[in-house]
């Protein structure tokens, strides 16, 4: 019987490891080696490990690790973003990188709309009214906003951004979008989206601005003081991309001085924020723990696509989702 490929993982189970319920499936295809096992017996494992399963930034992949894995062929990333990896350095070792962009789109778009709706309807404050021991009657003058008929501006119209547009259309929202490359006209018509060549035009017109871009040198801190000055004082910023896309100091200032109304963030920089960070204490901010893909179905799809990608590399077959250095 042919020996299974050896796969390096951070750990199995726990907050940083391979999801425990995925272990059985993975063990059908790989011999799983935890980082602890590897560090305790490098001599035995270093030449046998041919692949790495990477969940986000949980397993640090640096030059020292790669030098200790001479037969490594592929790093399979569970997720779309690879900004945490030094692709140029990895490529010098002849190692391929794969990801799972299609598998994350629906769940992440669902969370974007969850944050939009929760912020618009002031859900956190409403819950407090409902559960407060001081509440004797529900006040008729407690009101929030509805999204029907409002304008959402989506910055980044890739797979996730387009899924957000599909959901926004169902809420009868006016949809604007900005992207490096304009979508085909038939794709725009399908969701009723209008292209803004200049991001400034989108910022000025939107009631809700959703960030769905990848993190690059061009998008880092793209939403800063100037962007907040352009946004409406009644606008809400929603970020489900990467925390570093937003200048957090400028965001705090904009929320404090009323340049924008609110923010709903699934991602921050750093993650998590320091426990004394101002954003943690603001009533007009919703924070979630980078949970865009955190559903049972989504995480399983991601895991299975990682397996497909890695096995394709190992067996010399066409790779479904290879990441190339730009």
């Amino acid at each position: 019987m042919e020996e299974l490929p050896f796969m390096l993982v951070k750990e199995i189970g726990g907050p940083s490891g391979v999801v425990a319920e995925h272990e059985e499936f993975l063990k059908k295809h790989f011999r799983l080696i935890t980082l602890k096992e590897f560090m305790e017996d490098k001599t035995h494992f270093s030449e046998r490990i041919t692949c790495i399963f990477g969940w986000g930034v949980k397993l640090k992949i640096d030059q020292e690790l790669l030098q200790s894995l001479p037969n490594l062929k592929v790093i399979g990333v569970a997720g779309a973003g690879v900004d945490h990896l030094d692709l140029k350095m990895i490529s010098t070792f002849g190692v391929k990188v794969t990801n799972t962009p299609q598998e994350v789109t629906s769940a992440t778009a669902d969370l974007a709309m969850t944050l939009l709706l929760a912020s618009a309807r002031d859900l956190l404050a409403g819950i407090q009214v409902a559960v407060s021991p001081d509440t004797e009657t529900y006040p008729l003058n407690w009101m929030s906003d509805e999204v029907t008929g409002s304008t959402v501006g989506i910055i980044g119209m890739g797979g996730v951004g387009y899924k957000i547009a599909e959901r926004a259309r169902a809420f009868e929202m006016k949809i604007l979008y900005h992207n490096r490359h304009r979508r085909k006209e038939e794709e725009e018509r399908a969701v009723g989206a209008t292209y803004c060549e200049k991001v400034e035009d989108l910022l000025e017109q939107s009631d809700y601005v959703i960030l769905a871009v990848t993190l690059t040198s061009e998008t880092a801190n793209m939403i800063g003081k100037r962007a907040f000055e352009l946004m409406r004082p009644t606008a809400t910023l929603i970020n489900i991309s990467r925390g570093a896309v937003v200048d957090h100091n400028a965001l705090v200032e904009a929320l404090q001085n009323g340049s924008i109304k609110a923010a709903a963030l699934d991602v921050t920089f750093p993650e998590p924020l320091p426990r004394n960070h101002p954003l943690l204490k603001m009533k007009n901010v919703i924070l979630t723990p980078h949970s865009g893909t955190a559903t049972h179905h989504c995480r399983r799809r991601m895991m299975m696509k990682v397996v497909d990608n890695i096995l394709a590399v190992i067996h010399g077959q066409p790779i479904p989702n290879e990441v190339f250095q730009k």
Side-chain angles (χ1 to χ4, degrees), residues 144-166:
S144 56
D145 298 315
E146 61 185 78
V147 301
T148 301
S150 63
T151 299
V152 60
I154 304 168
I155 301 179
M157 194 63 130
V160 173
Y162 198 79
K163 289 285 186 180
I164 293 170
E166 290 178 335

Side-chain angles (χ1 to χ4, degrees), residues 265-324:
L265 314 172
D266 185 48
V267 290
T268 59
F269 185 77
E271 289 179 350
L273 289 172
R275 297 297 85 183
N276 62 347
H277 197 282
L279 288 173
L280 301 180
K281 303 174 180 65
M282 292 184 169
K283 293 182 179 180
N284 55 345
V285 175
I286 296 175
L287 291 165
T288 50
H290 202 144
S291 54
T293 64
T295 72
H296 292 286
H297 291 298
C298 181
R299 290 285 170 87
R300 187 165 186 84
R301 287 195 303 270
M302 292 163 66
M303 177 273 295
M304 295 177 73
K305 179 56 69 174
V306 169
V307 170
D308 288 345
N309 285 329
I310 288 178
L311 290 178
V313 174
I314 290 175
H315 297 308
Q317 299 170 347
I319 307 168
N321 294 106
E322 182 174 359
V323 178
F324 297 95

Side-chain angles (χ1 to χ4, degrees), residues 77-282:
V77 175
V82 294
D83 49 273
H84 60 291
L85 296 178
D86 186 339
L87 296 179
K88 183 176 181 180
M89 181 271 291
I90 292 171
S91 68
T92 64
F93 287 86
V95 175
K96 295 184 181 297
V97 175
T98 67
N99 65 346
T100 65
Q102 287 79 31
E103 284 63 35
V104 308
T105 55
S106 292
T108 306
D110 285 350
L111 183 67
M113 292 305 296
T114 300
L115 292 173
L116 188 155
L117 292 166
S119 185
R121 297 307 301 261
D122 206 1
L123 185 64
L124 298 184
I127 290 171
Q128 288 304 309
V129 170
V131 304
S132 172
D134 299 323
T135 297
E136 297 179 355
T137 182
Y138 291 161
L140 294 178
N141 61 351
W142 186 87
M143 289 175 282
S144 56
D145 298 315
E146 61 185 78
V147 301
T148 301
S150 63
T151 299
V152 60
I154 304 168
I155 301 179
M157 194 63 130
V160 173
Y162 198 79
K163 289 285 186 180
I164 293 170
E166 290 178 335
R167 286 151 175 74
R169 188 186 189 198
F171 282 94
E172 302 174 35
M173 302 182 79
K174 179 181 179 181
I175 302 167
L176 307 177
Y177 81 96
H178 172 79
N179 203 43
R180 284 183 300 172
H181 305 291
R182 183 172 181 174
R183 284 266 185 173
K184 296 177 181 178
E185 288 187 16
E186 56 266 33
E187 293 174 331
E188 293 178 347
R189 286 196 300 269
V191 293
T194 299
Y195 178 63
C196 293
E197 183 176 355
K198 296 180 179 179
V199 69
E200 291 83 1
D201 293 337
L202 179 149
L203 293 171
E204 290 176 341
Q205 298 177 63
S206 299
D207 298 301
Y208 303 92
V209 174
I210 302 181
L211 305 178
V213 297
T214 55
L215 179 60
T216 66
S217 57
E218 288 77 25
T219 61
N221 282 330
M222 73 176 297
I223 303 299
K225 184 176 182 179
R226 176 58 179 159
F228 293 124
E229 289 173 347
L230 291 171
M231 290 173 66
R232 296 176 173 181
T234 55
T236 296
L237 177 73
I238 299 158
N239 190 6
I240 46 85
S241 57
R242 286 292 186 267
V245 172
V246 177
D247 180 337
H248 283 47
N249 291 331
L251 173 59
V252 169
E253 183 179 349
L255 289 165
Q256 289 175 336
N257 65 24
S259 294
I260 65 172
K261 178 184 177 181
L265 314 172
D266 185 48
V267 290
T268 59
F269 185 77
E271 289 179 350
L273 289 172
R275 297 297 85 183
N276 62 347
H277 197 282
L279 288 173
L280 301 180
K281 303 174 180 65
M282 292 184 169

